[in-house]
Amino acid sequence: MLLSLAGAAGAIASPEADSLRSHHAGMAPQLANSAFHQPLVLESTQTSGDLKGDVFAVVEHEFGKLEAALQGVEVWCDVLILHLNVKYCHSTGKGASGSIALAVGKKGDQDIADAYQANFAYQLAAAAPDYLKVQLSAKEGPMGTSNYRILFEATPLDATHSFVHMSYAYGYGFTARIAMQGYLATVGRNKVGFTVVGKKSDGQPVYVDNVRGVVERNTMRYYLAIDTYLATLSLPAAQRDEKRMHDWFIATERYPRQLHEMEEGEYMAMKRKELARQRAS
C-alpha cells in the first residue's frame, strides 16, 4: 500500500514526490506485467537532435538508506565504473554540488589516454524526507555527442520499497550522426534494444535497433549499476567491489540479446584493473 507520508511522518508530502508516485500509479499495469520479470518499465524517445532512455522501477531498497547512499558526489564513481565502457572516474567537491571526470572508451581493456574524457557536473537537486533527485550533466561527449544528462529520482512506497526513475539522455548533430552510422554499420549492426516494435512470422519479437537501441542498452546498464551499488551496501566494505562487479555482470546477463559483450572472467579482470587504477589516483 502506498505510504502516506503526510500522515505517517506528520509532514506535507513534497510536490515532486506526489508527481513521481502519481507516475507509479499510472503505470501500475505496465509494472505488474513487465517483460523484465520484475516491476520495471523502460522507455525511449528520439527527436531530430536528442536521444533519451528512461527506466521506472519498484525496488526493494528502503528510501532512507537509498537517499543517504546516493547523495554524495564521491559515491557516483563507485556506481559509474561498473559500466563496461567507463574506464576511469574521479570526483571532486562535497555537499550539493561537485564534478566528475569520466573516461569513456571501448568495451575491452583500454588505457585512459586512449579513452574519451568527459566532465560531468554533479548536483543534488532535492533531498527531502520523501524525495531524492540527483543530476549529472556534461556539455560534450564522445563521437560528437553533447548535452549529456543523467537523472535519478526516488520516493518511498512503503517501509521497504521505493519507486525510482533513472533517465539517460544526450544530444547529437551531424558529426555524431556520421560516427553512429559507422558504428551501426559495423560492430553495432546486429545489436538491439528492449522495446518490441513488431513480431516475426514465427511470433518472436522484433526489437528496436539503430540509435534508440543504443540509448536503451546504456540506460539499462547505468540503471543496473545504481541498483547493484545499493544492494551491496550492507556488506563489509572489503567485500563490496567484487560483489558489485559480479552482480552487475549477472544482472546484465539476464538480457543477453541486448547486453552480452564478454564473458564474466574478462569483465572482472578488466574492472579490477580499472578500479585499482581509479583508487590509486
Side-chain angles (χ1 to χ4, degrees):
M1 183 173 66
L2 193 66
L3 178 65
S4 174
L5 289 168
I12 299 175
S14 63
E16 297 91 346
D18 281 343
S19 177
L20 192 55
R21 286 196 292 270
S22 294
H23 209 106
H24 167 260
M27 60 176 20
Q30 293 171 271
L31 292 165
N33 299 288
S34 172
F36 295 97
H37 305 293
Q38 57 180 304
L40 184 151
V41 173
L42 187 151
E43 301 172 344
S44 64
T45 56
Q46 178 186 3
T47 66
S48 60
D50 202 73
L51 283 162
K52 182 183 179 186
D54 292 278
V55 167
F56 299 90
V58 176
V59 296
E60 294 185 18
H61 300 306
E62 187 267 317
F63 178 76
K65 294 180 180 179
L66 177 156
E67 183 182 38
L70 294 177
Q71 283 194 31
V73 62
E74 67 280 357
V75 306
W76 283 89
C77 278
D78 287 337
V79 174
L80 298 172
I81 195 65
L82 294 172
H83 193 303
L84 74 173
N85 289 113
V86 175
K87 307 287 104 181
Y88 173 83
C89 182
H90 177 72
S91 66
T92 56
K94 291 184 178 181
S97 62
S99 62
I100 295 175
L102 210 64
V104 181
K106 62 183 183 180
K107 295 178 175 66
D109 196 14
Q110 186 177 25
D111 289 337
I112 296 177
D114 298 326
Y116 183 88
Q117 310 298 312
N119 296 308
F120 281 80
Y122 160 88
Q123 181 182 12
L124 179 61
D130 63 345
Y131 182 71
L132 171 71
K133 183 177 182 180
V134 173
Q135 295 174 314
L136 305 177
S137 59
K139 293 181 179 180
E140 298 177 347
M143 299 198 305
T145 53
S146 61
N147 190 25
Y148 273 77
R149 293 97 68 200
I150 297 176
L151 177 148
F152 180 84
E153 57 179 344
T155 192
L157 294 177
D158 57 35
T160 58
H161 294 83
S162 300
F163 183 58
V164 304
H165 168 221
M166 182 258 162
S167 174
Y168 171 72
Y170 57 90
Y172 62 96
F174 177 77
T175 301
R177 287 191 184 95
I178 297 301
M180 189 57 68
Q181 286 173 9
Y183 167 79
L184 294 170
T186 54
V187 295
R189 63 184 179 275
N190 295 319
K191 297 182 181 298
V192 297
F194 293 90
T195 299
V196 177
V197 294
K199 286 188 177 181
K200 300 179 182 178
S201 58
D202 61 359
Q204 293 299 308
V206 175
Y207 295 102
V208 67
D209 56 10
N210 211 293
V211 290
R212 275 185 62 200
V214 173
V215 78
E216 287 191 358
R217 292 193 298 275
N218 280 316
T219 300
M220 180 60 80
R221 287 181 175 124
Y222 282 122
Y223 165 75
L224 292 175
I226 296 171
D227 191 50
T228 299
Y229 174 83
L230 292 170
T232 56
L233 290 175
S234 61
L235 294 174
Q239 300 177 17
R240 291 174 189 169
D241 289 344
E242 288 290 309
K243 181 64 170 171
R244 283 171 187 158
M245 293 185 291
H246 169 77
D247 287 0
W248 183 89
F249 183 86
I250 295 302
T252 63
E253 286 296 291
R254 298 190 191 112
Y255 317 107
R257 179 72 179 88
Q258 291 82 7
L259 301 183
H260 179 77
E261 296 289 347
M262 60 181 66
E263 300 306 315
E264 182 177 5
E266 182 182 3
Y267 170 79
M268 296 288 287
M270 178 181 73
K271 285 300 165 185
R272 288 185 188 114
K273 179 179 178 180
E274 292 169 358
L275 197 56
R277 180 171 60 191
Q278 180 170 300
R279 296 273 169 82
S281 65

